[in-house]
PDB file of all heavy atoms in Angstrom:
ATOM      1  N   ALA Z  67      38.375  32.308-101.689  1.00 84.00           N
ATOM      2  CA  ALA Z  67      39.675  32.807-102.181  1.00 84.00           C
ATOM      3  C   ALA Z  67      39.553  34.063-103.003  1.00 84.00           C
ATOM      4  O   ALA Z  67      40.540  34.748-103.247  1.00 84.00           O
ATOM      5  CB  ALA Z  67      40.351  31.710-103.014  1.00 84.00           C
ATOM      6  N   GLY Z  68      38.333  34.413-103.448  1.00 74.00           N
ATOM      7  CA  GLY Z  68      38.170  35.521-104.376  1.00 74.00           C
ATOM      8  C   GLY Z  68      37.955  36.854-103.710  1.00 74.00           C
ATOM      9  O   GLY Z  68      37.897  36.981-102.476  1.00 74.00           O
ATOM     10  N   ASP Z  69      37.839  37.889-104.555  1.00 67.00           N
ATOM     11  CA  ASP Z  69      37.639  39.257-104.092  1.00 67.00           C
ATOM     12  C   ASP Z  69      36.173  39.696-104.171  1.00 67.00           C
ATOM     13  O   ASP Z  69      35.827  40.828-103.829  1.00 67.00           O
ATOM     14  CB  ASP Z  69      38.498  40.234-104.917  1.00 67.00           C
ATOM     15  CG  ASP Z  69      39.980  39.981-104.736  1.00 67.00           C
ATOM     16  OD1 ASP Z  69      40.360  39.581-103.617  1.00 67.00           O
ATOM     17  OD2 ASP Z  69      40.735  40.148-105.709  1.00 67.00           O
ATOM     18  N   THR Z  70      35.305  38.812-104.669  1.00 66.00           N
ATOM     19  CA  THR Z  70      33.887  39.141-104.799  1.00 66.00           C
ATOM     20  C   THR Z  70      33.060  38.101-104.044  1.00 66.00           C
ATOM     21  O   THR Z  70      33.576  37.061-103.611  1.00 66.00           O
ATOM     22  CB  THR Z  70      33.454  39.173-106.282  1.00 66.00           C
ATOM     23  OG1 THR Z  70      33.469  37.822-106.791  1.00 66.00           O
ATOM     24  CG2 THR Z  70      34.390  40.023-107.115  1.00 66.00           C
ATOM     25  N   ASP Z  71      31.778  38.384-103.918  1.00 72.00           N
ATOM     26  CA  ASP Z  71      30.874  37.462-103.228  1.00 72.00           C
ATOM     27  C   ASP Z  71      30.252  36.459-104.170  1.00 72.00           C
ATOM     28  O   ASP Z  71      29.436  35.641-103.744  1.00 72.00           O
ATOM     29  CB  ASP Z  71      29.742  38.268-102.545  1.00 72.00           C
ATOM     30  CG  ASP Z  71      30.253  39.093-101.370  1.00 72.00           C
ATOM     31  OD1 ASP Z  71      31.293  38.709-100.799  1.00 72.00           O
ATOM     32  OD2 ASP Z  71      29.628  40.111-101.047  1.00 72.00           O
ATOM     33  N   TRP Z  72      30.637  36.460-105.453  1.00 74.00           N
ATOM     34  CA  TRP Z  72      29.958  35.605-106.431  1.00 74.00           C
ATOM     35  C   TRP Z  72      30.005  34.140-106.024  1.00 74.00           C
ATOM     36  O   TRP Z  72      28.976  33.483-105.930  1.00 74.00           O
ATOM     37  CB  TRP Z  72      30.600  35.790-107.819  1.00 74.00           C
ATOM     38  CG  TRP Z  72      30.013  34.823-108.822  1.00 74.00           C
ATOM     39  CD1 TRP Z  72      28.849  35.008-109.524  1.00 74.00           C
ATOM     40  CD2 TRP Z  72      30.519  33.548-109.181  1.00 74.00           C
ATOM     41  NE1 TRP Z  72      28.624  33.905-110.316  1.00 74.00           N
ATOM     42  CE2 TRP Z  72      29.617  32.995-110.126  1.00 74.00           C
ATOM     43  CE3 TRP Z  72      31.625  32.808-108.800  1.00 74.00           C
ATOM     44  CZ2 TRP Z  72      29.824  31.748-110.688  1.00 74.00           C
ATOM     45  CZ3 TRP Z  72      31.836  31.559-109.358  1.00 74.00           C
ATOM     46  CH2 TRP Z  72      30.933  31.043-110.312  1.00 74.00           C
ATOM     47  N   GLY Z  73      31.188  33.603-105.778  1.00 79.00           N
ATOM     48  CA  GLY Z  73      31.310  32.194-105.446  1.00 79.00           C
ATOM     49  C   GLY Z  73      30.608  31.849-104.147  1.00 79.00           C
ATOM     50  O   GLY Z  73      30.021  30.772-104.006  1.00 79.00           O
ATOM     51  N   LEU Z  74      30.642  32.772-103.174  1.00 87.00           N
ATOM     52  CA  LEU Z  74      29.995  32.524-101.906  1.00 87.00           C
ATOM     53  C   LEU Z  74      28.479  32.405-102.076  1.00 87.00           C
ATOM     54  O   LEU Z  74      27.845  31.480-101.549  1.00 87.00           O
ATOM     55  CB  LEU Z  74      30.323  33.653-100.920  1.00 87.00           C
ATOM     56  CG  LEU Z  74      31.784  33.789-100.523  1.00 87.00           C
ATOM     57  CD1 LEU Z  74      32.021  35.085 -99.775  1.00 87.00           C
ATOM     58  CD2 LEU Z  74      32.231  32.585 -99.682  1.00 87.00           C
ATOM     59  N   LEU Z  75      27.899  33.336-102.826  1.00 88.00           N
ATOM     60  CA  LEU Z  75      26.464  33.287-103.045  1.00 88.00           C
ATOM     61  C   LEU Z  75      26.074  32.061-103.879  1.00 88.00           C
ATOM     62  O   LEU Z  75      25.018  31.466-103.661  1.00 88.00           O
ATOM     63  CB  LEU Z  75      25.991  34.566-103.718  1.00 88.00           C
ATOM     64  CG  LEU Z  75      26.086  35.827-102.850  1.00 88.00           C
ATOM     65  CD1 LEU Z  75      25.753  37.066-103.644  1.00 88.00           C
ATOM     66  CD2 LEU Z  75      25.152  35.708-101.633  1.00 88.00           C
ATOM     67  N   GLU Z  76      26.931  31.677-104.812  1.00 90.00           N
ATOM     68  CA  GLU Z  76      26.664  30.458-105.594  1.00 90.00           C
ATOM     69  C   GLU Z  76      26.673  29.244-104.686  1.00 90.00           C
ATOM     70  O   GLU Z  76      25.825  28.351-104.836  1.00 90.00           O
ATOM     71  CB  GLU Z  76      27.718  30.308-106.690  1.00 90.00           C
ATOM     72  CG  GLU Z  76      27.572  31.271-107.854  1.00 90.00           C
ATOM     73  CD  GLU Z  76      26.368  30.928-108.723  1.00 90.00           C
ATOM     74  OE1 GLU Z  76      26.337  29.820-109.291  1.00 90.00           O
ATOM     75  OE2 GLU Z  76      25.478  31.772-108.835  1.00 90.00           O
ATOM     76  N   ALA Z  77      27.623  29.180-103.769  1.00 91.00           N
ATOM     77  CA  ALA Z  77      27.717  28.030-102.877  1.00 91.00           C
ATOM     78  C   ALA Z  77      26.450  27.881-102.052  1.00 91.00           C
ATOM     79  O   ALA Z  77      25.879  26.781-101.938  1.00 91.00           O
ATOM     80  CB  ALA Z  77      28.937  28.169-101.975  1.00 91.00           C
ATOM     81  N   ALA Z  78      25.999  28.981-101.464  1.00 91.00           N
ATOM     82  CA  ALA Z  78      24.787  28.923-100.641  1.00 91.00           C
ATOM     83  C   ALA Z  78      23.559  28.645-101.502  1.00 91.00           C
ATOM     84  O   ALA Z  78      22.682  27.872-101.108  1.00 91.00           O
ATOM     85  CB  ALA Z  78      24.628  30.224 -99.866  1.00 91.00           C
ATOM     86  N   ALA Z  79      23.499  29.265-102.671  1.00 92.00           N
ATOM     87  CA  ALA Z  79      22.344  29.045-103.559  1.00 92.00           C
ATOM     88  C   ALA Z  79      22.277  27.605-104.038  1.00 92.00           C
ATOM     89  O   ALA Z  79      21.184  27.057-104.224  1.00 92.00           O
ATOM     90  CB  ALA Z  79      22.426  29.998-104.750  1.00 92.00           C
ATOM     91  N   LEU Z  80      23.418  26.962-104.237  1.00 93.00           N
ATOM     92  CA  LEU Z  80      23.432  25.559-104.633  1.00 93.00           C
ATOM     93  C   LEU Z  80      22.964  24.656-103.500  1.00 93.00           C
ATOM     94  O   LEU Z  80      22.422  23.558-103.731  1.00 93.00           O
ATOM     95  CB  LEU Z  80      24.851  25.153-105.057  1.00 93.00           C
ATOM     96  CG  LEU Z  80      25.290  25.579-106.455  1.00 93.00           C
ATOM     97  CD1 LEU Z  80      26.804  25.531-106.559  1.00 93.00           C
ATOM     98  CD2 LEU Z  80      24.654  24.710-107.515  1.00 93.00           C
ATOM     99  N   CYS Z  81      23.162  25.086-102.254  1.00 94.00           N
ATOM    100  CA  CYS Z  81      22.744  24.268-101.091  1.00 94.00           C
ATOM    101  C   CYS Z  81      21.231  24.264-100.907  1.00 94.00           C
ATOM    102  O   CYS Z  81      20.668  23.248-100.492  1.00 94.00           O
ATOM    103  CB  CYS Z  81      23.389  24.816 -99.817  1.00 94.00           C
ATOM    104  SG  CYS Z  81      25.127  24.455 -99.652  1.00 94.00           S
ATOM    105  N   GLU Z  82      20.597  25.393-101.210  1.00 93.00           N
ATOM    106  CA  GLU Z  82      19.156  25.492-100.883  1.00 93.00           C
ATOM    107  C   GLU Z  82      18.315  24.425-101.566  1.00 93.00           C
ATOM    108  O   GLU Z  82      17.513  23.760-100.903  1.00 93.00           O
ATOM    109  CB  GLU Z  82      18.639  26.888-101.232  1.00 93.00           C
ATOM    110  CG  GLU Z  82      17.250  27.132-100.705  1.00 93.00           C
ATOM    111  CD  GLU Z  82      16.813  28.574-100.863  1.00 93.00           C
ATOM    112  OE1 GLU Z  82      17.185  29.214-101.864  1.00 93.00           O
ATOM    113  OE2 GLU Z  82      16.085  29.067 -99.980  1.00 93.00           O
ATOM    114  N   PRO Z  83      18.481  24.148-102.860  1.00 92.00           N
ATOM    115  CA  PRO Z  83      17.676  23.089-103.485  1.00 92.00           C
ATOM    116  C   PRO Z  83      18.091  21.673-103.084  1.00 92.00           C
ATOM    117  O   PRO Z  83      17.378  20.720-103.410  1.00 92.00           O
ATOM    118  CB  PRO Z  83      17.858  23.315-104.987  1.00 92.00           C
ATOM    119  CG  PRO Z  83      19.147  24.046-105.108  1.00 92.00           C
ATOM    120  CD  PRO Z  83      19.236  24.908-103.871  1.00 92.00           C
ATOM    121  N   LEU Z  84      19.225  21.525-102.400  1.00 95.00           N
ATOM    122  CA  LEU Z  84      19.600  20.201-101.881  1.00 95.00           C
ATOM    123  C   LEU Z  84      18.737  19.790-100.697  1.00 95.00           C
ATOM    124  O   LEU Z  84      18.835  18.652-100.219  1.00 95.00           O
ATOM    125  CB  LEU Z  84      21.068  20.173-101.496  1.00 95.00           C
ATOM    126  CG  LEU Z  84      22.069  20.202-102.667  1.00 95.00           C
ATOM    127  CD1 LEU Z  84      23.504  20.287-102.135  1.00 95.00           C
ATOM    128  CD2 LEU Z  84      21.899  18.977-103.550  1.00 95.00           C
ATOM    129  N   TRP Z  85      17.883  20.697-100.207  1.00 94.00           N
ATOM    130  CA  TRP Z  85      16.990  20.375 -99.089  1.00 94.00           C
ATOM    131  C   TRP Z  85      16.018  19.257 -99.486  1.00 94.00           C
ATOM    132  O   TRP Z  85      15.817  18.296 -98.746  1.00 94.00           O
ATOM    133  CB  TRP Z  85      16.238  21.633 -98.664  1.00 94.00           C
ATOM    134  CG  TRP Z  85      15.277  21.413 -97.541  1.00 94.00           C
ATOM    135  CD1 TRP Z  85      13.916  21.520 -97.575  1.00 94.00           C
ATOM    136  CD2 TRP Z  85      15.602  21.042 -96.195  1.00 94.00           C
ATOM    137  NE1 TRP Z  85      13.373  21.251 -96.346  1.00 94.00           N
ATOM    138  CE2 TRP Z  85      14.388  20.968 -95.482  1.00 94.00           C
ATOM    139  CE3 TRP Z  85      16.802  20.777 -95.538  1.00 94.00           C
ATOM    140  CZ2 TRP Z  85      14.338  20.621 -94.135  1.00 94.00           C
ATOM    141  CZ3 TRP Z  85      16.758  20.436 -94.178  1.00 94.00           C
ATOM    142  CH2 TRP Z  85      15.538  20.364 -93.500  1.00 94.00           C
ATOM    143  N   THR Z  86      15.399  19.393-100.646  1.00 89.00           N
ATOM    144  CA  THR Z  86      14.485  18.353-101.122  1.00 89.00           C
ATOM    145  C   THR Z  86      15.199  17.017-101.240  1.00 89.00           C
ATOM    146  O   THR Z  86      14.670  15.969-100.860  1.00 89.00           O
ATOM    147  CB  THR Z  86      13.874  18.767-102.468  1.00 89.00           C
ATOM    148  OG1 THR Z  86      13.030  19.895-102.265  1.00 89.00           O
ATOM    149  CG2 THR Z  86      13.046  17.626-103.074  1.00 89.00           C
TER     150      THR Z  86
END
Side-chain angles (χ1 to χ4, degrees):
D69 296 326
T70 70
D71 291 335
W72 175 84
L74 295 169
L75 292 173
E76 287 288 299
L80 282 161
C81 286
E82 190 171 35
L84 289 175
W85 179 245
T86 293

